[in-house]
Amino acid sequence: DADVTQTPRNRITKTGKRIMLECSQTKGHDRMYWYRQDPGLGLRLIYYSFDVKDINKGEISDGYSVSRQAQAKFSLSLESAIPNQTALYFCATSDRDTAYEQYFGPGTRLTVT
Amino acid sequence: GNSVTQMEGPVTLSEEAFLTINCTYTATGYPSLFWYVQYPGEGLQLLLKATKADDKGSNKGFEATYRKETTSFHLEKGSVQVSDSAVYFCALKSSGGSNYKLTFGKGTLLTVNP
């Protein structure tokens, strides 16, 4: 079984809808991250969490919110989706001591029409 | 702030060709440098790393040397295979402050033809 799983893998939604992307990990890591990937822009950090009670904004948090329900679960919500949020979203985890080595999930492809 | 610049793709090679993907960086202090690889339909995974100047990271036949004088970390492989087709990301982690944050380049798509 994969160490970092994301659901759904693909989603098409309409402008204005609320949507939640979920991430679960079995690696036992403290730290979890949400990134979005856009063609030609690389990866940009949306939110990150060092533990259940420590959540921080990344580079591009506007329009997004997160919830760390447990050490193993970290959800990303789009409160009112807009077309420029169409992207590939990745969840990642890392251990506290080797935070540079991040383990990525397979990604969620989100399309907002 | 920190930034990573890598050569734009796509790069298309024939099997057994020599590969170089250029990466340069801007950072204060002494960052650690990484190459991540993203195979089709998958998330990124760490390919190799170097944590100080003149270190050489290597894995799966790929190598990269941390050159502080030229602020570079170019990825090389002597003989590519079709299975190396992927997107390659150069990344850095700054030496000071919080150790969580990776700064990624935009990625370089490599296609290897048989």
Side-chain angles (χ1 to χ4, degrees), chain A residues 9 31 33 35 37 40-43 45 48 50 59 88 90 96 99-102 104-106, chain B residues 34 36 38 41-46 49 51 87 89 93 98-102 104-107:
Chain A
R9 293 295 310 279
R31 300 183 172 193
Y33 311 81
Y35 292 92
Q37 183 180 24
L41 293 178
L43 272 76
L45 183 63
Y48 61 99
F50 286 172
E59 304 169 64
L88 188 55
F90 287 103
R96 182 180 311 174
Y100 60 80
E101 183 161 7
Q102 298 186 7
F104 284 77
Chain B
F34 312 93
Y36 275 77
Q38 182 182 24
E42 299 182 10
L44 282 71
Q45 55 186 274
L46 181 64
K49 68 180 187 289
T51 58
V87 181
F89 292 90
K93 181 183 78 65
S98 300
N99 67 350
Y100 68 94
K101 190 178 186 321
L102 292 175
F104 288 92
K106 295 182 179 181

Side-chain angles (χ1 to χ4, degrees), chain B residues 9 17 30 68 76:
Chain B
Y30 302 92
K68 186 165 178 60
E76 297 182 336

Side-chain angles (χ1 to χ4, degrees), chain A residues 55-69:
Chain A
I55 294 177
N56 305 276
K57 294 182 178 180
E59 304 169 64
I60 54 163
S61 59
D62 288 349
Y64 301 95
S65 62
V66 291
S67 173
R68 184 86 183 264
Q69 301 95 326

